[in-house]
Amino acid sequence: MLTTVRVVGDSMLPVLRPGDCLLVRRGTAVREGDLVVARRPHGLIVKRAFRCTGEGWWLESDNQNAPGRRDSWDFGAVPESDIVGRVVLRYWPRVALRLAAPRLRAR
Protein backbone atom coordinates (compact mmCIF):
# COMPACT_ATOMS: atom_id res chain seq x y z
CA MET A 1 0.00 0.00 0.00
CA LEU A 2 1.23 3.50 -0.84
CA THR A 3 0.62 6.80 0.93
CA THR A 4 1.92 10.35 0.60
CA VAL A 5 3.52 12.81 3.03
CA ARG A 6 4.78 16.39 2.78
CA VAL A 7 8.09 17.43 4.33
CA VAL A 8 8.02 20.16 6.99
CA GLY A 9 11.20 21.63 8.42
CA ASP A 10 14.90 21.58 7.58
CA SER A 11 16.05 18.46 9.45
CA MET A 12 16.61 16.40 6.28
CA LEU A 13 18.45 19.04 4.22
CA PRO A 14 20.02 18.80 1.71
CA VAL A 15 18.27 15.57 0.61
CA LEU A 16 14.72 16.73 1.40
CA ARG A 17 13.45 20.30 1.57
CA PRO A 18 10.34 21.79 3.18
CA GLY A 19 7.41 21.31 0.81
CA ASP A 20 8.77 18.17 -0.85
CA CYS A 21 6.05 15.56 -1.39
CA LEU A 22 7.00 11.92 -0.88
CA LEU A 23 5.51 8.60 -1.89
CA VAL A 24 5.80 6.09 0.98
CA ARG A 25 5.40 2.32 0.78
CA ARG A 26 3.68 1.18 3.96
CA GLY A 27 4.64 -1.99 5.78
CA THR A 28 7.77 -2.70 3.75
CA ALA A 29 11.09 -3.93 5.09
CA VAL A 30 13.49 -1.19 6.20
CA ARG A 31 17.25 -1.31 5.65
CA GLU A 32 19.98 0.84 7.12
CA GLY A 33 20.25 4.08 5.15
CA ASP A 34 16.61 4.12 4.01
CA LEU A 35 14.48 7.22 4.44
CA VAL A 36 11.48 6.29 6.54
CA VAL A 37 8.32 7.82 7.95
CA ALA A 38 7.66 7.07 11.61
CA ARG A 39 4.80 7.79 13.99
CA ARG A 40 5.74 9.80 17.10
CA PRO A 41 3.50 11.32 19.81
CA HIS A 42 3.95 14.78 18.23
CA GLY A 43 3.13 13.54 14.69
CA LEU A 44 4.82 11.90 11.71
CA ILE A 45 8.54 12.35 11.07
CA VAL A 46 10.76 11.63 8.05
CA LYS A 47 14.22 10.40 9.07
CA ARG A 48 17.07 8.17 7.97
CA ALA A 49 17.10 4.63 9.38
CA PHE A 50 20.56 4.52 10.92
CA ARG A 51 20.60 1.11 12.60
CA CYS A 52 18.27 -1.48 14.10
CA THR A 53 18.73 -2.02 17.83
CA GLY A 54 17.05 -4.33 20.31
CA GLU A 55 14.49 -1.57 21.03
CA GLY A 56 13.77 -0.68 17.40
CA TRP A 57 15.15 1.63 14.72
CA TRP A 58 17.59 4.41 15.54
CA LEU A 59 16.44 7.28 13.32
CA GLU A 60 18.57 10.33 12.58
CA SER A 61 18.18 13.67 10.83
CA ASP A 62 20.58 14.38 7.97
CA ASN A 63 20.88 17.98 9.21
CA GLN A 64 21.72 17.76 12.91
CA ASN A 65 21.92 21.59 13.13
CA ALA A 66 18.34 22.25 12.01
CA PRO A 67 16.31 24.32 14.46
CA GLY A 68 13.68 22.17 16.18
CA ARG A 69 15.28 18.93 14.94
CA ARG A 70 13.93 15.82 16.73
CA ASP A 71 15.29 12.34 16.20
CA SER A 72 16.50 9.31 18.15
CA TRP A 73 19.11 11.47 19.90
CA ASP A 74 16.08 13.04 21.63
CA PHE A 75 13.65 10.14 22.07
CA GLY A 76 15.67 6.94 21.58
CA ALA A 77 15.00 4.07 19.21
CA VAL A 78 11.60 3.90 17.51
CA PRO A 79 9.74 0.56 17.80
CA GLU A 80 9.29 -1.28 14.51
CA SER A 81 5.51 -0.97 14.97
CA ASP A 82 5.83 2.85 14.77
CA ILE A 83 7.59 2.77 11.38
CA VAL A 84 4.88 3.73 8.86
CA GLY A 85 6.92 2.93 5.78
CA ARG A 86 9.89 3.55 3.52
CA VAL A 87 10.17 6.56 1.20
CA VAL A 88 10.28 5.34 -2.40
CA LEU A 89 9.95 8.58 -4.39
CA ARG A 90 9.96 12.34 -4.14
CA TYR A 91 7.26 13.34 -6.62
CA TRP A 92 7.08 17.10 -5.98
CA PRO A 93 8.75 19.27 -6.94
CA ARG A 94 9.34 17.41 -10.17
CA VAL A 95 12.93 16.71 -11.00
CA ALA A 96 13.98 18.87 -13.95
CA LEU A 97 15.02 16.92 -17.00
CA ARG A 98 18.48 18.07 -17.97
CA LEU A 99 20.03 17.19 -21.27
CA ALA A 100 23.79 16.90 -21.55
CA ALA A 101 25.52 19.52 -23.65
CA PRO A 102 26.70 18.18 -26.99
CA ARG A 103 30.38 17.28 -27.12
CA LEU A 104 30.84 18.02 -30.81
CA ARG A 105 30.09 21.32 -32.44
CA ALA A 106 28.50 21.50 -35.86
CA ARG A 107 30.13 23.88 -38.35
Side-chain angles (χ1 to χ4, degrees):
M1 171 181 247
L2 298 172
T3 191
T4 61
V5 297
R6 181 181 297 260
V7 175
V8 176
D10 296 332
S11 69
M12 292 306 292
L13 285 172
V15 174
L16 300 175
R17 296 177 305 276
D20 285 356
C21 295
L22 310 174
L23 189 62
V24 178
R25 183 176 304 271
R26 298 174 65 99
T28 188
V30 174
R31 295 179 307 261
E32 291 180 1
D34 285 347
L35 293 177
V36 298
V37 174
R39 194 174 294 105
R40 300 305 305 145
H42 59 279
L44 295 178
I45 60 172
V46 179
K47 300 296 172 198
R48 189 165 306 279
F50 187 70
R51 71 175 176 272
C52 192
T53 70
E55 293 83 38
W57 278 99
W58 187 266
L59 304 180
E60 290 191 6
S61 302
D62 283 356
N63 179 7
Q64 289 292 315
N65 296 321
R69 170 213 49 85
R70 301 214 35 193
D71 60 15
S72 288
W73 289 105
D74 302 301
F75 47 71
V78 175
E80 188 92 30
S81 60
D82 287 346
I83 302 294
V84 174
R86 181 173 50 90
V87 175
V88 294
L89 177 72
R90 182 184 78 190
Y91 67 90
W92 187 261
R94 288 156 74 193
V95 177
L97 183 63
R98 297 182 185 176
L99 300 176
R103 292 187 177 166
L104 300 175
R105 298 170 99 177
R107 293 184 188 221

